[in-house]
């Protein structure tokens, strides 16, 4: 597996709009109808990546902890399913159910959304404020498969807490790292 860091989209960037199919219920989901009142987490994940598998439990907990506070989570998989069939939409649905994801898990078949966000790896995380301006892009926390550090979501949780309290969010942000997005 190749270790690929986030591209670190410039802070303040407006969230690119999208409309994709939610693999869990086959509904059409847009950024506009899925965004949170206080903020929105957009993450690029997939089924097969060991870096994503390592944090799936925390992704589920994070979404549950913050959804009642007005922060919605949206997951997107943009991988080429022809060459990576484990990431196919029907298996995305199974993964979402198994991991108790309360958020939509969207399939970006054309990869246009990943390109619009300059996504590079799985997992790749973005936090947008209530006006859909980027306030955070980077890692969930310092844990990686095999490094012995617990998965806590520390970096993401600190960002979300600061966002909710209208406190400044540090511009010193560590990139996420994981498997590269599997481009067609």
């Amino acid at each position: 597996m190749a270790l690929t860091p986030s591209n670190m989209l410039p802070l303040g960037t407006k969230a690119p709009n999208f409309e994709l199919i939610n693999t869990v219920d086959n509904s059409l989901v847009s950024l506009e109808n899925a965004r949170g009142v206080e903020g929105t987490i957009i993450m690029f994940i997939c089924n097969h990546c060991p870096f994503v598998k390592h944090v799936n439990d925390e992704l589920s907990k994070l979404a549950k902890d913050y959804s009642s506070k007005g922060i919605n989570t949206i997951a997107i998989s943009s991988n080429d399913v022809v060459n990576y069939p484990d990431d196919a939409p029907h298996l995305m649905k199974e993964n979402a159910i198994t991991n108790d994801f309360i958020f939509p898990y969207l399939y970006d078949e054309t990869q246009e959304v990943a390109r619009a966000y300059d996504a590079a790896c799985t997992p790749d995380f973005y936090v947008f404020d209530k006006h859909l301006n980027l306030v955070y892009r980077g890692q969930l926390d310092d844990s990686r498969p095999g490094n012995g550090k617990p998965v806590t979501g520390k970096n993401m949780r600190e960002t979300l807490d600061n966002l909710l309290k209208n406190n400044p969010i540090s511009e010193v942000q560590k990139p996420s790292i994981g498997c590269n997005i599997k481009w067609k």
Side-chain angles (χ1 to χ4, degrees):
M1 85 191 126
L3 296 178
T4 302
S6 299
N7 284 329
M8 305 300 277
L9 194 64
L11 293 173
T13 298
K14 193 73 155 177
N17 200 15
F18 55 79
E19 193 172 71
L20 298 169
I21 295 292
N22 182 359
T23 60
V24 178
D25 63 9
N26 290 319
S27 65
L28 198 57
V29 174
S30 70
L31 174 60
E32 195 53 44
N33 68 23
R35 68 188 277 189
V37 174
E38 297 298 326
T40 306
I41 301 166
I42 295 179
M43 55 187 171
F44 289 84
I45 63 173
C46 69
N47 294 343
H48 86 275
C49 173
F51 289 87
V52 175
K53 288 179 178 182
H54 181 70
V55 299
N56 272 335
D57 286 345
E58 179 59 21
L59 300 182
S60 183
K61 288 178 197 167
L62 187 78
K64 290 172 187 166
D65 290 347
Y66 287 91
S67 66
S68 64
K69 299 174 183 178
I71 295 179
N72 286 357
T73 301
I74 302 166
I76 301 170
S77 179
S78 301
N79 280 356
D80 171 11
V81 299
V82 172
N83 290 307
Y84 296 88
D86 287 348
D87 293 331
H90 71 284
L91 297 175
M92 290 170 60
K93 177 180 180 174
E94 285 180 23
N95 188 29
I97 292 167
T98 299
N99 287 292
D100 197 24
F101 290 165
I102 63 166
F103 46 83
Y105 191 8
L106 311 178
Y107 178 45
D108 177 22
E109 183 176 10
T110 66
Q111 302 182 319
E112 289 175 17
V113 178
R115 291 186 197 288
Y117 281 80
D118 201 20
C121 59
T122 56
D124 216 346
F125 299 99
Y126 304 83
V127 176
F128 295 90
D129 66 15
K130 62 181 152 192
H131 305 292
L132 293 176
N133 295 314
L134 184 66
V135 296
Y136 180 84
R137 73 287 194 246
Q139 67 178 10
L140 181 68
D141 57 33
D142 288 325
S143 184
R144 304 287 184 270
N147 77 358
K149 295 181 181 179
V151 179
T152 62
K154 179 180 184 282
N155 297 88
M156 184 72 74
R157 288 176 180 278
E158 284 176 0
T159 296
L160 297 173
D161 291 342
N162 283 326
L163 180 63
L164 290 168
K165 294 175 186 171
N166 290 314
N167 289 339
I169 296 168
S170 174
E171 292 186 14
V172 178
Q173 301 173 2
K174 292 182 185 176
S176 186
I177 194 159
C179 300
N180 63 301
I181 288 182
K182 308 308 183 204
W183 302 105
K184 294 180 181 181

